[in-house]
Amino acid sequence: AINIAPTDAIPTTSPVQDTAIPTIPPGNTEPTPTQPAPTQPPPTNQPTPANPPPTALPVMLPTGPASETFDFELSMKSYSLTTAGGFDVATSSDTINSQSECRTFCAENDAMRYASNVIGDKCVCYSRNPEFSSSYCASLWGSQVASTAVASGTIGSKQPIGSCESDFCQDFPNEALCFTGNSLSLREYTLDSAGGFDLAVSSDLVNSDSECRIFCKDYDATRYASSVVGDKCICYTTNATTTVPCAMPWGDQVLSSSVASGTIFSKTPFTTCSADFCTANPNTGLCFTANELSLRDYTLTIAGGYTLATSSNSVSSELECRGFCAEYDAMRYA
């Protein structure tokens, strides 16, 4: 049996503490924390930039004295505190119910983060690692992490923090969150060896796409479908001989309703294969599904160019018949 974590929340002993999947549905958002971030007025002889660059931290000034309180703030939707930036988890709590309570709880520490909608500890306190040889910094989530996969919340620090040069998934490539920025519908695309994705491992014990991402976190891509017959979760590795792995469209020969509803995820952006599934895999039962006629209206005969190839009286469903006849041009089931 496979032991699957219940959510994308990362244990409190992990270097990453703010990666829990929100309990609110994707697309919903929480209000921005009400405490405004301190700013400094721009020099009088220069205009204020209209749009600061993505990695700029206008509320985290690179110089300045430390504060006794957490005066320097960042949004958890954009940044994380990790060991890669010199921050170690000091303590945490799941009984804290407000940002102000979290500040009090973490008063003796260097930084904190509070999120009300995480599964796990809402309040986490951090200490600066005294042996950290680089400048302390906050990690951008980066393009591999979907903003909807990160809880809304606030990071507070007693000292200004710069932005790390590498993002979260560059430092922690085997985290489940690194799948969330690249996803496609299984009704439209599939992962196949012809597209450079080889099946690595699978499980029928996984019960959600978030569990599947955790199960497959050490691999390159995943596929989860709850309604399939067989393994719901499949992990893939990219084929070393394929220059650019691609997601394969099902194409015109496959009826979308014959494909299980689900999602495929990748740690790298998807490209689309030039060939569709049935072009690459012509001897597959799914390739019959888009072209059907009722046996009450039509039949296949020599006059129409069809010759009987094989038959069976032990096939008990249309799905089995398509599989039985997968290597042939046409089939009929009654």
Side-chain angles (χ1 to χ4, degrees):
I2 297 171
N3 186 17
I4 300 299
T7 66
D8 273 0
I10 294 177
T12 57
T13 55
S14 166
V16 191
Q17 286 301 318
D18 37 9
T19 58
I21 294 291
T23 56
I24 54 177
N28 292 358
T29 58
E30 290 198 350
T32 304
T34 56
Q35 179 171 335
T39 59
Q40 287 189 350
T44 55
N45 60 343
Q46 294 183 12
T48 303
N51 295 299
T55 57
L57 303 179
V59 298
M60 290 286 197
L61 304 178
T63 60
S67 170
E68 292 298 321
T69 57
F70 301 103
D71 291 340
F72 304 94
E73 293 187 348
L74 288 174
S75 168
M76 276 177 58
K77 284 285 187 181
S78 300
Y79 295 93
S80 175
L81 298 182
T82 72
T83 54
F87 290 91
D88 296 328
V89 173
T91 186
S92 61
S93 173
D94 62 354
T95 61
I96 302 295
N97 294 313
S98 70
Q99 184 175 315
S100 60
E101 285 183 28
C102 187
R103 288 169 173 268
T104 302
F105 179 74
C106 297
E108 296 181 1
N109 301 106
D110 298 310
M112 49 73 68
R113 77 106 171 104
Y114 177 77
S116 61
N117 61 335
V118 297
I119 297 174
D121 291 337
K122 300 176 183 178
C123 177
V124 179
C125 312
Y126 299 87
S127 59
R128 292 188 173 211
N129 185 341
E131 299 179 0
F132 191 64
S133 58
S134 301
S135 299
Y136 297 101
C137 58
S139 298
L140 285 161
W141 288 114
S143 60
Q144 284 181 245
V145 179
S147 62
T148 54
V150 181
S152 296
T154 302
I155 295 170
S157 174
K158 291 180 179 179
Q159 299 184 54
I161 309 175
S163 180
C164 298
E165 292 183 3
S166 54
D167 65 32
F168 176 83
C169 291
Q170 289 173 321
D171 291 323
F172 304 98
N174 291 340
E175 290 292 344
L177 276 173
C178 299
F179 283 122
T180 59
N182 300 292
S183 63
L184 292 171
S185 169
L186 185 59
R187 282 275 168 98
E188 298 177 7
Y189 296 90
T190 187
L191 301 180
D192 187 82
S193 58
F197 289 95
D198 295 331
L199 191 152
V201 67
S202 60
S203 173
D204 63 352
L205 303 178
V206 174
N207 294 312
S208 70
D209 58 9
S210 61
E211 287 184 16
C212 187
R213 292 195 299 268
I214 293 172
F215 179 74
C216 296
K217 64 187 179 65
D218 294 330
Y219 299 94
D220 300 313
T222 82
R223 181 230 76 183
Y224 178 77
S226 60
S227 59
V228 297
V229 177
D231 291 338
K232 300 175 184 178
C233 176
I234 299 177
C235 314
Y236 298 86
T237 56
T238 52
N239 190 319
T241 61
T242 303
T243 305
V244 182
C246 54
M248 187 166 287
W250 287 111
D252 295 338
Q253 287 180 248
V254 177
L255 190 67
S256 62
S257 60
S258 66
V259 179
S261 178
T263 308
I264 58 177
F265 298 91
S266 173
K267 289 182 180 176
T268 56
F270 283 114
T271 59
T272 302
C273 299
S274 57
D276 64 32
F277 177 79
C278 291
T279 301
N281 304 280
N283 296 335
T284 305
L286 277 173
C287 299
F288 286 122
T289 57
N291 300 293
E292 295 182 352
L293 293 172
S294 171
L295 187 59
R296 286 187 177 271
D297 296 323
Y298 297 90
T299 189
L300 301 179
T301 68
I302 294 176
Y306 290 94
T307 303
L308 176 65
T310 187
S311 62
S312 172
N313 63 1
S314 62
V315 173
S316 57
S317 71
E318 184 177 314
L319 177 64
E320 286 184 26
C321 187
R322 290 200 300 265
F324 178 76
C325 296
E327 297 179 8
Y328 300 96
D329 299 314
M331 49 76 66
R332 79 103 170 107
Y333 176 78

